[in-house]
Amino acid sequence: MRRILALAWPVVLTSLNWTIMHVTDVVVVGLVGTHEVAALGASRTLTYIGIVVALGWLTGVLVFAARADGAGDLPATGAVLRQGLVLGLVLGLISGGTLFFFASPLLLGVGVDPGIAPAAASVVRTMALGYPFQLLTVAATFFLEGVSRPRRVMAVNLSILPINALLAWVLATGQFGLPAMGAVGAALATVIAIVISAVAMLVAAFTLPRARERQVRDWRDFGSPAMWRGVWALLAFGLVPAIASGLELAGFSILIALSTQLGEATTHAFQIVFSVHNVTFAFALGLGSAAGVRAGNAVGEGLAAEAGPRTAIAAGLAAAIMAVLAVPLTLFPMLAVSGFPASREVALIAAGMLGLWAPFILFDGLQVVFVYALRSLGDQVFAGLNGILSFFLLTGALGLVTVHAGWGARGLVVASAAGMVAAALLNGARLYWITHRFRLKS
């Protein structure tokens, strides 16, 4: 348990850092107006998908680094970092370029209201500029987590948080004589913070202890067949997680797009609920990452049967923590909502949605832990298929059915909760079957 917690808490703080950055954007942009928050929220139907797909494609960096570290093969960990950085840069240029040049048609294609789409497209194009730097950061982050150095990641991210908050306040609200840029200003602040973070994270990766033994700065193999084989291996491993992650978030993007059809007040309210969700999700991500690293270590050590008990510890901790978070959100949702600048109408809608949704974060926490463990055990395909079934097909379909049936904001919550429950059950059952096979073999 101590090892799981030691790996988890820095990742929790790191995840909270990025979550707080996005929450800060919602809060600051809320000072400008509901229309600007609606544009910010609508932009995330695309920007979140782009980042999450790339994150899925880079998950192999964490898995391969953890396996090599567990096996004691330090040079192999450095090779994984270099290959991950190359892949991250390529993915960042492709995804960022796609969003920059096709923002408007993509937004309209996913169902964003035409009245909000032009403002949202400006936000998307601004965020797209930071994608190459963002994915370099992700590759370095996964490497550091994979070799059990998450505190370095935490230190970098926590140092960036106040920079982003200050810039968002200045640029979005128009301080010091600058024009109020609203949602675009908040996006520009995030891009600047991302660039700084990328530089700092690379320094953290290149200067970690035993860097020479890991050969993290040895680029003599750049462009060699061996390097490209490694990049291809990462790309192949991450293919299904990337598709699954994109489709999973597409399910939530459908909900965001549907919220724009229910009016700006509901769109703003759903962004508040989504922001609260991201805060709770950060705890699950930390424990999921820890479970993935420990399961990967077990595979590298030749002790795959140990992955089950290690994951069980992380799952138990996730369930306990998420339950503690769910109680106040269920009983007193207005306390959380009151931290966001919003009209009385928006606050009442958000509180109603949050109180109904909060109990289901327990399942959300469990499914994240199960997914990370399955990926490290080489079962990323089934984990991806389960995610697609739960969050794309079930959540997306339920959202369309309930909203068009007149359920309003409650339909968005029901669709989201159903996906969480389904993902936890499907991935939990699959993990039990996989680990049971390993126990029989041992």
Side-chain angles (χ1 to χ4, degrees):
M1 181 181 293
R2 288 183 179 179
R3 184 70 184 274
I4 292 288
L5 288 174
L7 291 170
W9 74 263
V11 180
V12 169
L13 291 180
T14 295
S15 301
L16 280 174
N17 173 80
W18 286 106
T19 298
I20 291 171
M21 284 179 65
H22 291 296
V23 171
T24 299
D25 289 346
V26 175
V27 172
V28 171
V29 175
L31 298 173
V32 181
T34 295
H35 179 75
E36 289 295 319
V37 178
L40 178 67
S43 74
R44 290 175 175 177
T45 60
L46 295 184
T47 58
Y48 274 7
I49 290 179
I51 286 295
V52 167
V53 167
L55 280 168
W57 235 320
L58 289 168
T59 52
V61 176
L62 185 149
V63 172
F64 291 177
R67 290 177 180 176
D69 205 47
D73 190 349
L74 299 186
T77 65
V80 171
L81 171 63
R82 297 191 301 276
Q83 294 155 9
L85 292 175
V86 171
L87 179 58
L89 181 60
V90 172
L91 292 175
L93 291 171
I94 293 173
S95 58
T98 300
L99 291 181
F100 186 87
F101 291 107
F102 302 102
S104 293
L106 287 172
L107 285 167
L108 294 173
V110 298
V112 171
D113 186 271
I116 299 175
S122 297
V123 181
V124 171
R125 283 191 287 269
T126 302
M127 287 297 298
L129 298 175
Y131 268 50
F133 302 96
Q134 177 77 79
L135 298 188
L136 286 173
T137 302
V138 170
T141 295
F142 279 165
F143 163 74
L144 289 167
E145 291 176 3
V147 297
S148 301
R149 293 286 179 175
R151 295 188 186 185
R152 289 190 161 228
V153 179
M154 176 191 69
V156 170
N157 284 326
L158 290 180
S159 67
I160 298 300
L161 183 60
I163 297 174
N164 176 77
L166 177 62
L167 288 173
W169 174 66
V170 170
L171 296 175
T173 62
Q175 302 298 318
F176 307 113
L178 295 173
M181 300 173 67
V184 171
L188 181 58
T190 300
V191 170
I192 295 171
I194 285 171
V195 173
I196 298 172
S197 176
V199 174
M201 199 69 72
L202 290 174
V203 170
F206 290 148
T207 61
L208 83 168
R210 305 188 73 181
R212 184 181 297 275
E213 291 91 332
R214 294 185 185 275
Q215 300 177 8
V216 294
R217 299 188 296 270
D218 186 356
W219 287 89
R220 287 176 296 178
D221 64 342
F222 182 75
S224 67
M227 165 165 273
W228 289 117
R229 282 196 300 270
V231 172
W232 178 255
L234 289 174
L235 193 66
F237 180 92
L239 177 61
V240 173
I243 295 172
S245 297
L247 289 177
E248 288 172 25
L249 196 55
F252 285 98
S253 293
I254 290 172
L255 300 187
I256 294 175
L258 287 170
S259 75
T260 68
Q261 299 174 15
L262 296 173
E264 289 188 351
T266 300
T267 304
H268 190 169
F270 192 61
Q271 278 304 300
I272 292 174
V273 174
F274 200 61
S275 296
V276 175
H277 163 266
N278 288 343
V279 172
T280 63
F281 194 64
F283 291 89
L285 278 177
L287 289 160
S289 174
V293 170
R294 294 299 288 144
N297 290 160
V299 173
E301 294 163 3
L303 301 171
E306 291 296 314
R310 294 177 183 182
T311 304
I313 294 172
L317 290 170
I321 292 172
M322 300 305 269
V324 169
L325 293 172
V327 171
L329 292 176
T330 303
L331 299 177
F332 311 104
M334 189 59 80
L335 289 179
V337 172
S338 63
F340 296 84
S343 67
R344 180 66 176 171
E345 178 189 8
V346 170
L348 288 173
I349 296 173
M353 297 169 71
L354 185 58
L356 179 62
W357 165 85
F360 295 94
I361 64 174
L362 173 64
F363 297 94
D364 204 24
L366 288 173
Q367 67 92 13
V368 173
V369 171
F370 297 154
V371 165
Y372 270 79
L374 286 170
R375 288 174 178 173
S376 288
L377 292 171
D379 199 45
Q380 74 275 14
V381 173
F382 270 92
L385 292 175
N386 289 339
I388 293 171
L389 287 172
S390 302
F391 291 116
F392 179 62
L393 296 178
L394 181 59
T395 292
L398 265 182
L400 290 168
V401 170
T402 55
V403 169
H404 289 147
W407 289 35
R410 288 188 301 114
L412 304 176
V413 177
V414 170
S416 172
M420 295 175 187
V421 174
L425 294 176
L426 290 172
N427 286 316
R430 179 65 181 179
L431 182 63
Y432 176 80
W433 186 75
I434 291 291
T435 54
H436 181 67
R437 288 178 59 196
F438 282 134
R439 287 197 300 271
L440 292 177
K441 290 180 180 179
S442 65

